[in-house]
Amino acid sequence: MELKRMKRNYFIYIFIFWYMAKIICSTTFETIGGIPVDTVSSMINYLVLVLLVIQMVFFQSYGQKEFVIIAVVSIPFLITAAVSRSFSLLSGWMFVVAAKDTSFEKIIKTVYRALLFTIFLVFVLYSCNILEDYTMVRGGAIRHSLGFSHPNQLGVRMFQLIACHCYLHRHKMRAVDYGIAAAAAAFVYVVPNSQSSCMCIVVLALLLAIGRLLEKYKEGMLSFCGKGLTAAAALFNILSVLLSVIDVKSHDVLRQIDVWMSYRFSHSFEVLQVYGIPLWGQKVFLMEEERQKMGMMDGAGRLYLDNAYMSLFIKYGIVSYLIFSVAYLVLMNDCRKKKRYFTVSILFVYALYGIMENAVFMMSHNIFLLAFAGMMYERLSRIKDKKLCLKIQRQ
């Protein structure tokens, strides 16, 4: 009985350990136990990859079809990780594979509690002057991080918290839940002044409210709206790439759109001029000093690559970009078909977030990517059952 229980909960232990560690490493700590925080983060990433391999090999079983699919998808992610020296996509994929026997609802519930505890811990450490407040000024407003490494890090964690809260209360949303979302949006706007996170919290709350109204009065419209959100998510992706591969500064209307988007497209265009688009990914240095050490005398200065879709393109390559982009839309459509409309809404908001931040493809920021596990294994199970049924009929 104890072994069976360990097998059921092993993935949760690994994921929560990694997830909380990623939050702690995204604070203003410079060292942990005398070790630079970047080194600690890398050590934890490698340790977790080993633990995930143990989980997949010793605590899970796979059919032949499952093994082939996992191997085929893993190869490009392995190549990309080796070339780019960035493991975001590979670790995310390994978490999806290792989540085979774990309830998605349980994962969200556990992450929600861990997120509450860790954010509270960071605030306590900041209040005790153990963590510093990293501040920035934008438009005359001071942006506070309250112990996180950047105000946007505080913003994205608050958005995650509200996304998990709303997901867990999706069947019984009350006025107090909408009030919590409104308070979080106000906090994110005033303290870290993370406008993207604030907007996403508001959009998520509005989508949930609209979904509840449609469920009550026009349920038939939900599937149509789900298709619309999926199409919009695809549009965010496509337009982000199109507006980043051209010089938007040379077009008046496009330049104004770029200003509204905090120069995400023009900044991506500048990175593109330096690095181009590889097939399998590449190591990208945003600081000029780092590029000079590598012999790159491009004179481009400090670069910024915050648009998720161009980050996938430039940093992870065409192959990984296509795999992720197609799979993400397939997941949204799969959730729509299963009438999981709130999950569709969350994935849509993350797709919107992807215009401004890299959160959409990073498991530490978008834990709803773990919904891939349910879709993948369910589809493979249906194929297996169909083949078994055909075999029985022939006999």
Side-chain angles (χ1 to χ4, degrees), residues 29-189:
F29 273 130
E30 293 184 0
T31 62
I32 297 178
I35 304 173
V37 70
D38 289 341
T39 303
V40 172
S41 181
S42 296
M43 292 168 59
I44 290 172
N45 286 338
Y46 286 120
L47 172 61
V48 168
L49 286 176
V50 171
L51 292 174
L52 287 176
V53 170
I54 293 173
Q55 161 73 9
M56 290 183 284
V57 172
F58 296 103
F59 293 90
Q60 293 180 180
S61 58
Y62 305 94
Q64 185 178 3
K65 190 79 174 180
E66 291 175 337
F67 182 80
V68 171
I69 294 295
I70 291 169
V72 168
V73 178
S74 297
I75 289 171
F77 286 155
L78 283 166
I79 296 173
T80 296
V83 174
S84 68
R85 306 303 300 168
S86 180
F87 297 88
S88 294
L89 290 179
L90 178 61
S91 63
W93 170 243
M94 291 187 69
F95 276 121
V96 168
V97 174
K100 180 181 181 181
D101 300 316
T102 309
S103 163
F104 181 69
E105 189 86 12
K106 182 176 181 178
I107 293 172
I108 301 300
K109 187 177 295 185
T110 308
V111 165
Y112 177 61
R113 293 169 179 168
L115 195 53
L116 271 173
F117 172 78
T118 316
I119 291 175
F120 177 74
L121 176 63
V122 172
F123 287 170
V124 169
L125 293 176
Y126 161 71
S127 300
C128 297
N129 295 319
I130 297 174
L131 287 173
E132 296 180 2
D133 181 21
Y134 179 80
T135 59
M136 303 174 66
V137 178
R138 178 170 62 188
I142 300 177
R143 306 178 63 195
H144 298 273
S145 72
L146 303 187
F148 285 91
S149 60
H150 192 283
N152 285 343
Q153 280 291 327
L154 173 56
V156 74
R157 297 304 174 187
M158 291 301 297
F159 169 68
Q160 275 187 307
L161 186 67
I162 295 303
C164 291
H165 178 87
C166 291
Y167 180 85
L168 294 173
H169 293 82
R170 64 194 183 279
H171 298 307
K172 49 179 180 179
M173 285 288 287
R174 301 161 298 173
V176 65
D177 297 308
Y178 291 106
I180 289 172
F187 172 83
V188 168
Y189 186 81

Side-chain angles (χ1 to χ4, degrees), residues 216-287:
K216 190 173 182 180
Y217 299 107
K218 289 189 177 181
E219 188 174 353
M221 284 288 293
L222 285 171
S223 181
F224 176 78
C225 290
K227 289 180 181 179
L229 293 180
T230 304
L235 196 62
F236 296 151
N237 188 329
I238 294 169
L239 287 179
S240 288
V241 173
L242 289 178
L243 293 176
S244 298
V245 298
I246 62 175
D247 186 6
V248 293
K249 292 181 180 179
S250 61
H251 302 81
D252 291 338
V253 175
L254 297 182
R255 183 175 65 248
Q256 187 58 52
I257 293 174
D258 186 48
V259 172
W260 291 338
M261 294 292 106
S262 300
Y263 305 100
R264 291 307 194 261
F265 305 128
S266 57
H267 285 162
S268 296
F269 178 77
E270 291 169 0
V271 179
L272 182 64
Q273 300 312 297
V274 175
Y275 286 100
I277 299 176
L279 183 64
W280 294 107
Q282 60 189 324
K283 191 163 181 59
V284 174
F285 299 98
L286 298 179
M287 302 300 295

